[in-house]
Amino acid sequence: SSLCCDCADRSVALHHQVPPEVGTMPVNKEQQRKYQRKYQSTKEYKVYQSRYQEKYRASPEGKARCKADRAKRKERKRKSDLKVKGWTVGTFKKKLESQGGLCPIGKHSFSKKNPPCADHKHAYVPEPRGILCSVHNAALGSFHESTKELKAAIKYLEKYK
């Protein structure tokens, strides 16, 4: 079978072996995704994955490495999510300290079940506002950030108090 990359060492690992039914290496991103999906459905890939799991995930070093990788992925995702909302990790930490670690709506501390969320104005370029607990952040989103809807909800609750 052909090689999936230009390896100097011809005694390549199993994951470098490209089954003939997969085809040649892709040129653009779309072809690359298609190639990866096709390759990952092959028997050779599944054998490689099972050998990898036996070798690395079973060992203490492999378990530690997997745990570290998960932590790195989680941190990258957090940074990416904050960036989309107009925040950075630094501004998030500063704002959390300035709020005293409390949700400004409920005046309660954050917990694992009710973590801090970066609130932002929903505009073309998002503007950071504050840090709310996940419950209050979802509530504001449910009311489409409309003060009119929030006032109507308050009237409704007071009517049935």
Side-chain angles (χ1 to χ4, degrees):
S1 60
S2 59
L3 297 173
C4 70
C5 65
D6 296 326
C7 292
D9 183 13
R10 291 295 166 193
S11 59
V12 294
L14 184 61
H15 76 281
H16 281 106
Q17 298 293 326
V18 179
E21 67 272 6
V22 174
T24 58
M25 281 300 287
V27 178
N28 59 35
K29 291 280 184 190
E30 186 179 322
Q31 287 177 340
Q32 187 175 7
R33 278 190 218 102
K34 197 176 196 179
Y35 169 85
Q36 283 175 334
R37 280 193 301 272
K38 200 171 184 182
Y39 174 61
Q40 288 172 353
S41 66
T42 62
K43 183 180 177 184
E44 287 86 351
Y45 178 77
K46 289 176 181 158
V47 168
Y48 167 73
Q49 281 296 96
S50 65
R51 285 183 186 167
Y52 172 82
Q53 288 173 359
E54 286 173 20
K55 185 177 179 182
Y56 293 105
R57 291 188 180 169
S59 69
E61 300 87 19
K63 286 180 183 178
R65 185 173 155 199
C66 287
K67 189 175 183 179
D69 288 346
R70 274 194 301 274
K72 285 179 186 176
R73 281 194 305 273
K74 189 175 180 180
E75 185 61 27
R76 274 197 308 268
K77 183 171 177 5
R78 181 172 176 252
K79 283 180 183 178
S80 174
D81 289 349
L82 286 173
K83 188 176 180 181
V84 167
K85 296 172 185 175
W87 291 79
T88 64
V89 175
T91 56
F92 185 87
K93 286 179 181 176
K94 285 178 187 174
K95 189 68 172 178
L96 192 59
E97 285 177 16
S98 71
Q99 289 180 194
L102 301 173
C103 174
I105 295 175
K107 304 294 183 206
H108 56 269
S109 59
F110 302 107
S111 66
K112 194 169 187 170
K113 288 186 176 181
N114 197 7
C117 293
D119 182 41
H120 61 284
K121 183 177 182 181
H122 290 252
Y124 181 71
V125 177
E127 297 173 28
R129 291 192 287 213
I131 298 175
L132 304 175
C133 69
S134 60
V135 172
H136 290 132
N137 191 39
L140 285 182
S142 297
F143 285 105
H144 310 283
E145 300 181 9
S146 167
T147 54
K148 186 178 179 182
E149 287 184 25
L150 281 166
K151 287 175 185 175
I154 291 168
K155 282 183 184 178
Y156 175 82
L157 286 173
E158 287 175 345
K159 180 180 175 182
Y160 293 100
K161 205 171 191 183

